[in-house]
Amino acid sequence: MSNVSTLKSAYENYFKIGAAVSSAGIGLYKGLLGEHFNSITPENELKYTSTEPEEGKFTFDEADRIFDGARELGIKVRAHAPVWHAQTPDWIYKDGDRPAAPELIYERIEAHTKALCERYNDDVYAWDVVNEAACDEPNDLSPTYRDSEYFKLCGEGFIVAAFRAMDKYSPGAQLFYNDYSECIPAKRERIVRLIRTLQEKGCRIDGFGMQQHHFAAPDYDEIKRSIEVYASLGLRLHITELDVSLMATLNHGLDRLKPGDAGFADYVREALHPTPERLEMISGIYLKLFEIYRSYRDVIDCVTTWGVADDYTWLDSFGMGEDMPKLKQYPLMFDTAHKPKSCVGRLIERA
Ligand code: GLA
């Protein structure tokens, strides 16, 4: 039983408590960040389109705002996702009018990595070096890898190049591979293959980032099994993008509910006017998830939520298509008024 009143101090002997923030969020949530959190992830500001929209023209203003705010709060940064199939400018894949050769792409990844590391190394303790390179379903190119532009042009070489470059320019930070649907057995097997390949090629990979976006009722046994499988690869684990959507309280499938799915109409009806009991279920899911995370404290070093409070989350634009209303998801541990939900006090007590 803990006698402290903030998440970060209650969890001091377990893992860091992190949050993703935008460059606006670092100011907006300064109070909550300072009180409860001891790790910060830039939500979009270190992604390729944000930092090098044109080759060699680096734009760091937005990321700088987050790093300045984090430094003021005395919080180190968990840096996120320079090599990813999304939010990446087209120039990286091109050589004039032709597709770029793998070697040119590797040079570009190296130059980009060098610039990011030279600017931010002092404040970064971990990097998501590559994000979401495993596929959800086998495709024509691979049973394991996403058929992204990177993969089409380089095969798995771009992942190797990204890890080698980050190891070279950021030898002091922990290097992570990060992915979603990581507890669905078929996807987990692909992620494991991808990680083993990196290890066999001698790349330094220190950890795996389990995103933990919950759009469906969590399968707690599968989460435990997954933690064990990933840890058995000799990796440290971070929970990197935790959020529990309102949808997760109504959806017992594996995937997001979509128009036409059984239960979808009920979900929309509830989500338009969620009852207090329904919203409380989100807190209940947080409690069960943290119970699992606590029991794996020997391998989990950080638990990051993807946002701080419900007034701003990437899920605010969560609609199901043009004719569907935007449905608020209330996915975080703090409400729209920045007040702690019931799970916060209980998580502190149970630590
Ligand atoms: C993925 C990415 C994150 C973010 C979220 C949605 O999970 O890893 O960087 O873009 O989607 O906001």
Side-chain angles (χ1 to χ4, degrees):
M1 175 72 155
S2 148
N3 57 3
V4 294
S5 57
T6 71
L7 285 170
K8 72 171 176 199
S9 20
Y11 282 80
E12 206 167 45
N13 296 324
Y14 290 88
F15 31 71
K16 285 178 192 286
I17 303 290
V21 289
S22 67
S23 54
I26 189 83
L28 182 65
Y29 297 118
K30 200 171 169 189
L32 283 180
L33 289 168
E35 196 176 344
H36 288 285
F37 295 86
N38 49 13
S39 174
I40 282 176
T41 300
E43 186 177 359
N44 289 302
E45 290 70 4
L46 288 174
K47 290 174 182 169
Y48 226 120
T49 37
S50 304
T51 49
E52 196 180 356
E54 288 176 55
E55 185 160 21
K57 295 224 163 74
F58 291 95
T59 46
F60 290 128
D61 292 357
E62 299 297 310
D64 281 355
R65 250 174 242 156
I66 297 186
F67 277 88
D68 290 347
R71 223 173 286 122
E72 247 176 67
L73 291 164
I75 300 178
K76 292 286 180 204
V77 171
R78 188 175 191 289
H80 174 69
V83 174
W84 187 29
H85 63 276
Q87 293 178 252
T88 296
D90 268 354
W91 64 258
I92 187 154
Y93 310 120
K94 292 201 175 129
D95 183 1
D97 293 338
R98 296 197 321 260
E103 292 68 30
L104 179 57
I105 293 181
Y106 303 159
E107 273 170 35
R108 287 170 170 168
I109 289 177
E110 174 154 356
H112 185 76
T113 306
K114 180 168 186 279
L116 291 178
C117 292
E118 283 176 354
R119 195 166 187 93
Y120 298 121
N121 261 358
D122 287 350
D123 297 298
V124 169
Y125 73 95
W127 272 102
D128 285 331
V129 181
V130 175
N131 197 27
E132 303 178 351
C135 54
D136 294 323
E137 299 290 340
N139 55 63
D140 289 347
L141 294 181
S142 169
T144 306
Y145 296 96
R146 177 188 295 276
D147 54 355
S148 64
E149 278 308 296
Y150 273 127
F151 188 77
K152 284 181 198 154
L153 295 169
C154 308
E156 69 211 20
F158 76 98
I159 308 174
V160 173
F163 272 88
R164 296 232 161 102
M166 196 58 87
D167 182 34
K168 178 168 171 191
Y169 293 106
S170 195
Q174 287 181 299
L175 309 189
F176 280 70
Y177 172 68
N178 189 52
D179 215 328
Y180 66 89
S181 296
E182 72 282 358
C183 299
I184 296 178
K187 177 84 178 269
R188 181 171 68 215
E189 279 173 30
R190 297 186 186 105
I191 294 172
V192 166
R193 280 204 292 278
L194 183 157
I195 291 171
R196 284 223 172 97
T197 303
L198 283 178
Q199 291 175 323
E200 280 156 18
K201 288 181 185 293
C203 292
R204 174 164 74 90
I205 169 166
D206 302 299
F208 174 57
M210 301 174 65
Q211 290 192 5
Q212 294 280 283
H213 289 292
H214 292 283
F215 288 98
D219 181 335
Y220 299 106
D221 287 337
E222 234 22 286
I223 294 175
K224 290 184 206 160
R225 201 164 299 130
S226 303
I227 291 173
E228 288 172 16
V229 167
Y230 294 125
S232 76
L233 299 170
L235 300 177
R236 305 304 303 167
L237 303 182
H238 286 184
I239 306 301
T240 53
E241 304 188 20
L242 174 63
D243 50 20
V244 180
S245 295
L246 183 67
M247 183 186 272
T249 68
L250 284 143
N251 174 13
H252 294 278
L254 280 184
D255 225 331
R256 293 183 198 195
L257 276 178
K258 300 189 188 61
D261 289 347
F264 183 76
D266 291 341
Y267 156 67
V268 172
R269 203 173 324 108
E270 287 253 10
L272 284 169
H273 306 286
T275 60
E277 293 74 27
R278 173 73 48 202
L279 292 172
E280 190 55 28
M281 288 170 75
I282 293 174
S283 270
I285 294 178
Y286 268 104
L287 293 180
K288 288 199 195 133
L289 290 171
F290 266 78
E291 191 181 327
I292 296 177
Y293 304 153
R294 282 196 305 273
S295 72
Y296 288 100
R297 66 202 276 184
D298 54 331
V299 288
I300 296 178
D301 296 324
C302 183
V303 174
T304 290
T305 53
W306 202 248
V308 180
D310 286 348
D311 54 328
Y312 169 77
T313 109
W314 70 293
L315 295 162
D316 288 340
S317 52
F318 195 69
M320 300 290 186
E322 290 202 348
D323 305 327
M324 297 299 300
K326 299 272 184 277
L327 296 169
K328 197 144 178 71
Q329 296 296 311
Y330 309 95
L332 295 161
M333 293 194 286
F334 295 86
D335 70 14
T336 52
H338 299 192
K339 295 275 173 286
K341 297 186 185 174
S342 72
C343 60
V344 173
R346 294 210 201 120
L347 286 176
I348 292 170
E349 275 164 33
R350 290 178 190 185

